[in-house]
Amino acid sequence: QITFGSIFLGNVPIHEEVHRCAGQIHGYKGCIRDFQVNHKELFIIDEALEGRNVENCNVPICDYHPCHNGGTCTSDAENWYCECPKLFTGKLCQFATCDENPCGNGATCFPKSSRDAVCLCPYGRSGILCSEAINITQPSFSGTDIFGYTSFLAYSAIPNIIFYYEFRLKFQLANHHSALQDNLIFFTGQKGQGLNGDDFLELGVRNGRVVYSYNLGSGTATIISKALDLTLHIHVIHLGRNHQKGWLKVDDQKNKTVTSPGRLVGLNVFSQFYLGGYHEYAPELLPKGPRFKNGFQGCIFDVQVRTSINQGFKSPGSPEGHPNSGRNVGQCKDSPCSLIKCRNGGKCIESGSTIYCDCTTGWKGAFCTETVSVCEPEHDPPHLCRQGGTCVPLPNGYTCHCPLGTTGTYCEQG
């Protein structure tokens, strides 16, 4: 709105709005140039007494830096468009990271930042975009990653486990302290959520000892082994249960037994059998008490089960040995980081089969090959444009395009 005495250009003041029977008159939206009254040219801005919400039409749209997320604005006399970096789309590159999922083969897309995504690979896949097939014979688990997800394998529910079962498995711990602290090896539950009162069966490592727990519905029974001998490269577990009585044998330690409280004798579990972790965002739904905070860190292999003393041992799954699903599971002793090279000081981070580049300050992108613009939120230090000023990058630094009513190098003055 621009007012010349009683002449209103664009709109009228709110208190003078005119209503007609056809409805309210709306203000003009667009550009006005060469304004004349009785053949006299009036300078729209210089001779105005007051105004509101007026911008300069002569500024090309790209000077307003409309593209989000590091997009590059390109314009000609009539049109303009945003050229978006990878993982972004939309007219203004406003759909960031996982809005347009770049991950393939059923991977879970997770935004590493507002500008980059990480593909959490499903079972049997690896690589930046999970495009590479891998053969897994000895699964490798990476615990809980920095995004809060655990690596896991999920097998179909183990049948006929109500009154009797035996498990045998081997594992190799990752070579760091956190692998000994609070880590789940396997879990299956009545409703699959480990809520209070549910039947469940779980195995894990806590404070360097193996912890085996089960609940038949009338209380939890728990056996804790002696401290693991860390000089052993591979550890062997044999555990079981017959009605209320359970037992656990770890490596060459003596067999330990326990009897569950109450009178119930049957384990009623219907969920999938989870190995190495859990499918939820974080294993917060696992049973309280013996709840484990992280997924397993290391390799688990040769898992076998039987539900009758007269049966032979079999691998879980249907068909046998085949999981239904999984996430961030790699092949033991293989490093997926050997397949890629992060640039400009970036460090390859691996989480099972999922890999990504952790870039140094000033770099971004899947391989840390893209520079962070001085006007982007990730830039350190951030730009200094104030009061709604638009940061526009220049070959040497940046400038601030100030909104109407502000001025100064950083739009700091009224």
Side-chain angles (χ1 to χ4, degrees), residues 88 96-98 110-118 147 364-365 378:
F88 296 91
T97 52
C98 295
F110 192 89
K112 184 175 68 171
S113 69
S114 62
R115 313 215 181 280
D116 284 314
V118 171
F147 310 113
K364 65 176 184 177
E378 286 91 345

Side-chain angles (χ1 to χ4, degrees), residues 15 79 152 154 182 201 220 239 275 317 348 351 357 369:
H15 64 275
N79 301 307
F152 77 93
D182 206 344
L201 163 65
T220 300
L239 63 87
L275 186 68
C348 181
S351 177
C357 290
T369 55

Side-chain angles (χ1 to χ4, degrees), residues 124-408:
R125 290 285 171 172
S126 183
I128 291 287
L129 299 178
C130 305
S131 56
E132 300 167 25
I134 56 173
N135 182 34
I136 298 175
T137 57
Q138 295 185 347
S140 172
F141 302 88
S142 55
T144 305
D145 62 28
I146 62 172
F147 310 113
Y149 287 91
T150 60
S151 54
F152 77 93
L153 291 177
Y155 297 85
S156 55
I158 299 173
N160 305 318
I161 201 174
I162 298 176
F163 299 114
Y164 183 93
Y165 59 73
E166 282 185 75
F167 285 88
R168 297 190 307 202
L169 61 92
K170 299 174 184 177
F171 69 88
Q172 177 183 346
L173 291 168
N175 188 25
H176 48 73
H177 185 67
S178 63
L180 295 168
Q181 293 311 296
D182 206 344
N183 309 91
L184 178 71
I185 296 177
F186 69 61
F187 168 82
T188 184
Q190 187 168 19
K191 298 177 182 177
Q193 296 180 332
L195 303 176
N196 286 343
D198 286 356
D199 291 16
F200 69 83
L201 163 65
E202 68 176 351
L203 180 72
V205 176
R206 178 173 287 121
N207 297 325
R209 301 168 184 266
V210 174
V211 180
Y212 161 43
S213 297
Y214 58 92
N215 190 329
L216 308 181
S218 54
T220 300
T222 300
I223 303 175
I224 302 176
S225 75
K226 292 182 179 180
L228 292 169
D229 181 357
L230 299 182
T231 63
L232 296 175
H233 185 61
I234 294 176
H235 302 278
V236 180
I237 293 179
H238 184 195
L239 63 87
R241 180 189 63 86
N242 185 6
H243 291 79
Q244 290 179 285
K245 184 177 181 180
W247 67 90
L248 169 69
K249 181 171 175 56
V250 177
D251 296 331
D252 58 357
Q253 298 179 16
K254 290 184 178 180
N255 191 60
K256 302 182 79 170
T257 61
V258 70
T259 300
S260 61
R263 296 185 177 182
L264 298 179
V265 297
L267 177 69
N268 297 293
V269 292
F270 312 113
S271 77
Q272 298 183 99
F273 178 74
Y274 295 99
L275 186 68
Y278 202 49
H279 71 97
E280 297 290 347
Y281 175 74
E284 292 301 323
L285 294 176
L286 293 180
K288 293 183 177 179
R291 174 186 289 173
F292 293 93
K293 296 179 180 178
N294 298 299
F296 188 78
Q297 299 173 52
C299 302
I300 304 174
F301 45 95
D302 296 346
V303 180
Q304 294 185 313
V305 61
R306 68 178 180 180
T307 55
S308 169
I309 198 169
N310 298 317
Q311 287 181 346
F313 281 89
K314 294 183 178 181
S315 299
S318 179
E320 182 181 348
H322 291 266
N324 294 338
S325 62
R327 179 177 59 221
N328 289 3
V329 177
Q331 170 68 359
C332 192
K333 299 180 181 179
D334 282 356
S335 173
C337 277
S338 63
L339 302 175
I340 69 167
K341 184 176 181 180
C342 304
R343 307 291 180 177
N344 300 303
K347 180 181 179 183
C348 181
I349 304 295
E350 60 181 75
S351 177
S353 63
T354 294
I355 52 177
Y356 62 92
C357 290
D358 187 19
C359 304
T360 56
T361 302
W363 297 94
K364 65 176 184 177
F367 298 98
C368 306
T369 55
E370 304 169 37
T371 56
V372 177
S373 165
V374 68
C375 291
E376 294 183 54
E378 286 91 345
H379 191 271
D380 187 16
H383 67 79
L384 299 177
C385 300
R386 298 292 180 261
Q387 305 191 75
T390 301
C391 177
V392 179
L394 300 175
N396 295 305
Y398 64 96
T399 187
C400 298
H401 281 190
C402 302
L404 191 68
T406 64
T407 186

